[in-house]
Amino acid sequence: MPLPLLAHDHGAVREGPVVLMLHSTVCDRRMWDPQWRILLDAGFRLIRCDLRAFGDTPPGEEPYRDADDVLRLLDALDVRETAVIASSGGGLAGLELAARWPERVTSLLLLATAQPGWEKSETLREFGRREDEFVEAGDLDAAVELNVTTWLGPEADGNTRAMVRMMQRRAFEVQSTAPDVDDVDVEFDLSAIKARTLAVSGAHDLPDFREIAADLPQVVSGARHLELPWAGHLPSLERPADTARLMLDFMTA
């Protein structure tokens, strides 16, 4: 049985350009709460979804790709083209969507994005090992705190840390029920992306994500790179107003 559509919110104050928001895999669609009303009031038609096994979307039992899930949602909402704002792991789906269906993505704003096929640094592999150890030992509190400490920069306040704790714990809980399924193998080329692209990195982030953002203009024609000196891995939560302004500036340029 196919998975139902991704859990999502679809909002518009008035009919305007569509913006699809894809969350970090540390979070879920609630990470966009601070920017949601600002972008609605600016006249955009917004869609935000929970990727499979995050937030309100169940894991499913068949091999899948996030980009295919997202495309199915866009088709169901009769969206033929959209701008994409994507954070971290959500950037994998955003990049794939823009590469496999370039006519569907008009612009691409990537916040500390991951990249398909990226060879992880020892620092990032060590994070993964520690997280796995905590989860396998049933110590979700330690696994959650590891994520909060790793991914939030110095600008994050107590409320932000509590929000990330809540979303990360929810992800662990949903994924604990997930069967062991593989991704569907699909070949695609990031050089096929035609969308106007901005890759944003944070000076306090792990080196992998800074390097991905800096290198992306070598892969995606016309892409630009911007590093935020104050940011960690989740700038939209660390400085919500500044990131909303960055989004609006990019989307209206």
Side-chain angles (χ1 to χ4, degrees):
M1 180 181 297
L3 187 77
L5 288 179
L6 299 174
H8 63 280
D9 302 312
H10 182 199
V13 175
R14 56 185 181 276
E15 195 67 20
V18 181
V19 179
L20 169 68
M21 310 181 84
L22 300 175
H23 63 81
S24 162
T25 49
V26 184
C27 304
D28 55 46
R29 75 186 193 268
R30 291 173 290 181
M31 74 171 291
W32 304 117
D33 283 355
Q35 288 82 36
W36 186 256
R37 175 51 56 181
I38 294 171
L39 295 182
L40 282 179
D41 288 348
F44 292 101
R45 177 184 169 193
L46 300 183
I47 302 165
R48 60 177 177 177
C49 58
D50 285 333
L51 299 175
R52 201 179 296 214
F54 290 90
D56 295 324
T57 299
E61 299 180 354
E62 302 296 330
Y64 71 100
R65 293 194 73 83
D66 286 326
D68 291 328
D69 287 344
V70 170
L71 184 71
R72 192 157 62 94
L73 175 62
L74 293 177
D75 287 345
L77 296 175
D78 197 27
V79 172
R80 303 311 304 167
E81 63 176 28
T82 183
V84 175
I85 298 173
S87 173
S88 186
L92 292 174
L95 284 164
E96 183 175 336
L97 189 73
R100 290 174 62 190
W101 300 281
E103 74 283 357
R104 303 293 292 268
V105 180
T106 58
S107 57
L108 191 55
L109 176 57
L110 302 166
L111 304 174
T113 188
Q115 181 175 314
W118 181 261
E119 186 174 346
K120 297 178 181 179
S121 69
E122 178 56 30
T123 300
L124 189 53
R125 289 197 298 270
E126 176 61 20
F127 163 80
R129 285 192 291 267
R130 292 182 64 201
E131 182 185 58
D132 287 345
E133 289 172 0
F134 288 137
V135 171
E136 289 167 7
D139 192 350
L140 291 190
D141 287 342
V144 167
E145 287 308 311
L146 174 64
N147 276 272
V148 170
T149 300
T150 301
W151 302 122
L152 283 172
E155 297 287 326
D157 62 17
N159 286 337
T160 299
R161 294 178 183 278
M163 186 177 182
V164 173
R165 284 187 189 99
M166 175 179 63
M167 291 185 285
Q168 180 62 85
R169 179 171 287 276
R170 173 61 180 168
F172 284 142
E173 291 170 351
V174 174
Q175 291 159 19
S176 70
T177 69
D180 188 13
V181 299
D182 297 323
D183 288 340
V184 176
D185 288 330
V186 174
E187 292 187 4
F188 57 94
D189 186 348
L190 295 184
S191 68
I193 294 174
K194 305 301 182 188
R196 187 169 59 93
T197 301
L198 176 62
V200 178
S201 58
H204 298 277
D205 201 356
L206 296 189
D208 294 69
F209 301 97
R210 300 180 69 193
E211 291 170 14
I212 288 168
D215 290 347
L216 208 59
Q218 309 302 317
V219 181
V220 177
S221 178
R224 295 186 296 114
H225 169 229
L226 171 67
E227 178 145 291
L228 303 176
W230 49 266
H233 191 66
L234 298 169
S236 64
L237 293 170
E238 295 162 17
R239 280 195 188 179
D242 286 355
T243 306
R245 190 174 305 112
L246 185 156
M247 292 174 178
L248 289 172
D249 288 347
F250 178 71
M251 292 299 165
T252 58

